[in-house]
Amino acid sequence: MDELSVTLDYLLSIPSDKCKARGFTVIVDGRKSQWNVVKTVVVMLQNVVPAEVSLVCVVKPDEFWDKKVTHFCFWKEKDRLGFEVILVSGNKLTRYIDPSQLTEEFGGSLTYDHMDWLNKRLVFEKFTKESTSLLDELAVINNGSDKGTQNEKERSMDFNYLPSVDPETVLQTGHELLSELQQRRFNGSEGGVSWSPMDDELLAQPQVMKLLDSLREQYTRYQEVCRQRSKRTQLDEIQHRSMQVVNWLEGPGSDQLRTQWGIGDSIRASQALQQKHEEIESQHSEWFAVYVELNQQIAALLNAGDEEDLVELKTLQQRLSDVCYRQASQLEFRQNLLQTALEFHGIAQDLSQQLDSLLGMLCVDVAPTDGAAIQQTLKLLEEKLKSVDTGLQGLREKGQGLLDQITNQATWAYGKDVSTENKDNVDHIQGVMDDMQLRKQRCEDMVDVRRLKMLQMVQLFKCEEDAAQAVDWLNELLDALLKTHIRLGDDSQETKILMEKHRKFVDVAQSTYDYGRQLLQATVVLCQSLRCTSRSSGDTLPKLNRVWKQFTITSEERVQRLEMALAFHSNAEKILEECPDLAESVMDFEQFDEVEAVGKSLLDRLTVPVIYPDGTEQYFGSPSDMASTAEHIRERIKMVCLKKQQLLEPSESIRES
């Protein structure tokens, strides 16, 4: 009974006062209950809701209660109960209640899902409870932030006070609930069922809308309070972290750079300084990362455009940027200086190795092998010297750039006198460049001497090669003389032409021989200058003289044969071309005999070889070539003899007469 009483109290709290004023009609379904239970319920209605109940309809079973009802007349108890009670069958309820207010089980058309209503009611009550509590909390927070006389401690406490539930979640719940209620209202008339105004009251749609409006208003104010709170907290945090960055960069960071001024005296020393500088840069990088983050945060706040914070933010940003950029410039300057020093020492080391290699090459004596090898060695020597010259020029340029950087180093001295450190660095750089210049000059002097010697060697080998070539040329000329210069001419004119060609041919051979002799004389002079013995000139001269002697003998034989051929052809042509009188011809028969004798001598000479001083023999041309030449001479002799015979016959006739 207590649960029933609580349930009735709960249900009566749902409708509005306006709705309650109309009065309730209560249906007690007793069709499946005992009469005593029904009676108890009716009496309880009097104790719980007598003022709001206007009519109680007890739905009775069809037969069971007929006799018992007479023992309790409800109409007689109307004054005592405060409302009218009637007993009615289930199919007759529509006489007292509109069918639209009755469910199907009582013969009405009201569509009602109790679980659906219960779920929505639970959601509504949860939303009402949370939203009411949230509104109180937001009001406290918002009103506390509006008090201008609050001290910092109280404001800090307010800032730390947060709502017990998430406003977004509560608002989302309220909107979903309102959407469900509105959907029920607009869809309730579907299917021919009329919508009752009481639904709007029971489902509490106006309360939800009112709570949502209040929540939105307070939540908007709360968001602004949070934004201001976050902004103030962010400003304090930015200022605190900015001062940390500035204090470290101007303190420990600057102290680290003050102790680093040297550039090292070697590659290893410069690399060690670079490694130390990288450690310093690594520490600075952490603070520079903080600076970048702070700068972005400050820029975002400046873009927000709050006038009250613009001056403070810009001043903080300017100071932070000045300190960071100054420190970054100093780090970059130091890094560039060390990198240049490392490159300078690297070039100096490479140049020193090149000078050592060049000096080692110059200290080894050159053993003459051939001209090509000497030329290759000389080319390598020149390339090494050129490489050294290029390296020294690069060292000077890099050294001058390093000196200029060291001169500018004083601008980053933080008030410290760095003249001593700079003087040591300058002296070291200048000393390295002077030492390399002196070593390079010594190597150049040695290269000049070696170059002269090697050029003389090249010239010596060239002279020897050219002298040997002159011997080969003379051999070729001798061979050509024996094999191709064999014709004696078919007439005197052709023979003269052959004699002129042979003279020019001999002049060429003479020039070749003289050239070879001059080359061999030059080798003697070069060997004396180089204090060495020639490899080939000793046996080249005998070869040259021997082939020249053979050529001379062969040439003289050629000349004699051409002269005999010219005499033969000239006299033969004279005899054959002239037609003298018979009287005069008697006196010229000796010419015929002379031509015949010369021709026979020439034929005999063609069969004789050229004999050289060493006993060797050589023939002009091939046997067939000589046979052809001899045949032509014999034809000429026959023609002369025939001419002689023709002249003899008329002469004998004259004598006989």
Side-chain angles (χ1 to χ4, degrees), residues 39 41 73 90 107 109 133 198 204 213 247 267 276 281 308 334-335 341 397 415 468 480 484 500 525 554 633 655:
K39 179 180 177 182
V41 171
C73 297
S109 60
S133 175
M198 188 178 178
D213 292 340
N247 293 335
I267 292 180
K276 177 63 177 176
E281 280 188 331
E308 58 183 11
R334 175 65 180 167
Q335 176 61 33
E397 293 176 357
T484 61
E500 180 63 23
V525 176
T554 305
I633 294 173
R655 291 191 184 96

Side-chain angles (χ1 to χ4, degrees), residues 488 492 495 559-573 575 589-607 629-630 632-638 640-641:
L488 298 178
S492 60
T495 302
V559 170
Q560 290 178 4
R561 292 186 181 189
L562 287 173
E563 289 177 348
M564 290 178 67
L566 179 62
F568 170 75
H569 287 304
S570 297
N571 291 330
E573 291 171 358
I575 291 174
F589 285 139
E590 295 179 357
Q591 295 181 1
F592 287 90
D593 296 337
E594 182 180 354
V595 170
E596 187 176 355
V598 171
K600 291 180 178 180
S601 298
L602 184 56
L603 288 173
D604 293 338
R605 192 142 193 164
L606 290 177
T607 61
T629 302
H632 180 72
I633 294 173
R634 291 190 185 96
E635 289 293 331
R636 271 295 176 99
I637 292 175
K638 287 180 181 180
V640 171
C641 291

Side-chain angles (χ1 to χ4, degrees), residues 329-354:
S329 299
Q330 294 165 4
L331 288 170
E332 183 181 8
F333 175 84
R334 175 65 180 167
Q335 176 61 33
N336 294 337
L337 181 67
L338 290 176
Q339 182 61 34
T340 305
L342 181 63
E343 293 171 358
F344 173 78
H345 290 126
I347 295 174
Q349 180 174 297
D350 293 342
L351 180 58
S352 179
Q353 293 175 353
Q354 292 176 6

Side-chain angles (χ1 to χ4, degrees), residues 122-139 163-175 177 211-212 214-215 218:
L122 291 174
V123 173
F124 166 74
E125 290 182 356
K126 179 183 178 183
F127 167 71
T128 303
K129 180 180 178 181
E130 290 181 348
S131 59
T132 303
S133 175
L134 181 60
L135 283 172
D136 294 338
E137 294 175 358
L138 292 179
S164 58
V165 293
D166 181 23
E168 294 284 352
T169 303
V170 177
L171 284 171
Q172 179 68 22
T173 302
H175 285 298
L177 177 61
L211 286 172
L212 283 175
S214 300
L215 273 177
Q218 289 295 335

Side-chain angles (χ1 to χ4, degrees), residues 181-194:
L181 297 178
Q182 291 174 341
Q183 184 178 5
R184 175 184 175 89
R185 175 173 181 175
F186 291 113
N187 297 337
S189 59
E190 294 180 2
V193 180
S194 62

Side-chain angles (χ1 to χ4, degrees), residues 477-543:
L477 291 173
L478 175 60
D479 188 64
L481 180 60
L482 288 170
K483 293 181 179 179
T484 61
H485 292 224
I486 55 178
R487 286 182 52 78
L488 298 178
D490 295 337
D491 52 38
S492 60
Q493 187 64 31
E494 185 179 358
T495 302
K496 289 179 181 180
I497 293 174
L498 290 174
M499 290 181 70
E500 180 63 23
K501 289 182 178 180
H502 179 71
R503 185 186 64 79
K504 294 179 180 179
F505 185 76
V506 172
D507 289 342
V508 172
Q510 181 68 51
S511 299
T512 303
Y513 172 71
D514 293 341
Y515 176 65
R517 292 280 298 183
Q518 293 173 1
L519 291 173
L520 291 174
Q521 291 175 0
T523 58
V524 174
V525 176
L526 289 172
C527 285
Q528 292 175 352
S529 176
L530 295 171
R531 298 179 182 179
C532 66
T533 56
S534 174
R535 298 178 303 114
S536 59
S537 59
D539 55 356
T540 303
L541 181 59
K543 291 179 181 179

Side-chain angles (χ1 to χ4, degrees), residues 261-276:
W261 293 104
I263 62 171
D265 55 0
S266 64
I267 292 180
R268 181 175 299 179
S270 295
Q271 288 175 340
L273 289 173
Q274 269 193 333
Q275 184 176 0
K276 177 63 177 176

Side-chain angles (χ1 to χ4, degrees), residues 160-375:
N160 294 327
Y161 181 61
L162 298 176
S164 58
V165 293
D166 181 23
E168 294 284 352
T169 303
V170 177
L171 284 171
Q172 179 68 22
T173 302
H175 285 298
E176 291 175 357
L177 177 61
L178 182 61
S179 176
E180 288 288 337
L181 297 178
Q182 291 174 341
Q183 184 178 5
R184 175 184 175 89
R185 175 173 181 175
F186 291 113
N187 297 337
S189 59
E190 294 180 2
V193 180
S194 62
W195 173 78
S196 171
M198 188 178 178
D199 290 344
D200 195 25
E201 297 287 338
L202 293 176
L203 295 177
Q205 186 170 315
Q207 293 94 318
V208 174
M209 296 178 64
K210 182 177 180 181
L211 286 172
L212 283 175
D213 292 340
S214 300
L215 273 177
R216 279 193 289 265
E217 179 183 357
Q218 289 295 335
Y219 184 52
T220 301
R221 292 181 58 194
Y222 171 72
Q223 287 179 316
E224 178 62 21
V225 170
C226 290
R227 191 187 72 80
Q228 293 294 335
R229 178 196 308 172
S230 174
K231 176 184 172 183
R232 186 67 259 172
T233 303
Q234 187 178 13
L235 284 174
D236 294 341
E237 178 66 18
I238 288 175
Q239 187 171 14
H240 175 69
R241 296 179 67 192
S242 298
M243 293 311 300
Q244 284 183 324
V245 174
V246 171
N247 293 335
W248 189 90
L249 292 178
E250 291 183 342
S254 298
D255 293 339
Q256 289 178 346
L257 286 177
R258 287 193 186 97
T259 59
Q260 300 294 314
W261 293 104
I263 62 171
D265 55 0
S266 64
I267 292 180
R268 181 175 299 179
S270 295
Q271 288 175 340
L273 289 173
Q274 269 193 333
Q275 184 176 0
K276 177 63 177 176
H277 184 73
E278 288 175 358
E279 295 175 359
I280 296 175
E281 280 188 331
S282 178
Q283 297 180 33
H284 279 74
S285 297
E286 298 176 2
W287 292 99
F288 288 153
V290 177
Y291 158 70
V292 173
E293 180 184 354
L294 290 174
N295 195 46
Q296 293 175 349
Q297 293 177 359
I298 294 174
L301 292 176
L302 289 174
N303 291 332
D306 291 338
E307 295 293 337
E308 58 183 11
D309 302 319
L310 286 179
V311 177
E312 179 183 357
L313 286 173
K314 287 183 177 179
T315 303
L316 182 62
Q317 185 184 43
Q318 186 63 43
R319 183 181 180 190
L320 188 62
S321 298
D322 291 344
V323 173
C324 289
Y325 277 110
R326 181 172 67 249
Q327 199 77 355
S329 299
Q330 294 165 4
L331 288 170
E332 183 181 8
F333 175 84
R334 175 65 180 167
Q335 176 61 33
N336 294 337
L337 181 67
L338 290 176
Q339 182 61 34
T340 305
L342 181 63
E343 293 171 358
F344 173 78
H345 290 126
I347 295 174
Q349 180 174 297
D350 293 342
L351 180 58
S352 179
Q353 293 175 353
Q354 292 176 6
L355 287 169
D356 291 341
S357 176
L358 179 58
L359 183 61
M361 185 177 180
L362 292 172
C363 291
V364 177
D365 196 12
V366 179
T369 54
D370 56 66
I374 294 296
Q375 286 280 19

